[in-house]
Amino acid sequence: MLINHPLLGPRDAAEFTYLGDACLIERPDPDAKDAAERFLEYGYLRDNVAGEMRELWYHEQGDRSWLVVTRDTLTHEITRVEIARDVARERGRST
């Protein structure tokens, strides 16, 4: 499987480490009243999507960047690759 890195071009998936659902970008507020419950969900509960899913991938054997890869889990077709930092900023998170 090839991942088209936004800065470096096509790279073999073997250069990357898969982390999982890109929802991990949305860390809960540690100061919220229900922080313990939210962190439990954040750390352990994931959707097991059959179809298009946004995932976090780490370019371990390259520039060490984090990417958000939109991939169909049934066909492995990748339709979009974004720098995770840019996705987090779009969602209102600072680095």
Side-chain angles (χ1 to χ4, degrees), residues 25-67:
I25 290 175
E26 302 292 333
R27 278 190 308 257
D29 178 4
D31 298 325
K33 289 183 179 184
D34 59 348
E37 181 180 327
R38 290 185 181 264
F39 271 100
L40 178 70
E41 292 173 3
Y42 173 79
Y44 295 102
L45 300 180
R46 300 282 182 275
D47 290 333
N48 189 12
V49 177
E52 188 174 88
M53 181 173 177
R54 293 180 76 184
E55 305 167 328
L56 282 174
W57 290 74
Y58 177 62
H59 196 193
E60 183 175 23
Q61 297 178 23
D63 68 343
R64 300 184 183 266
S65 60
W66 285 93
L67 303 177

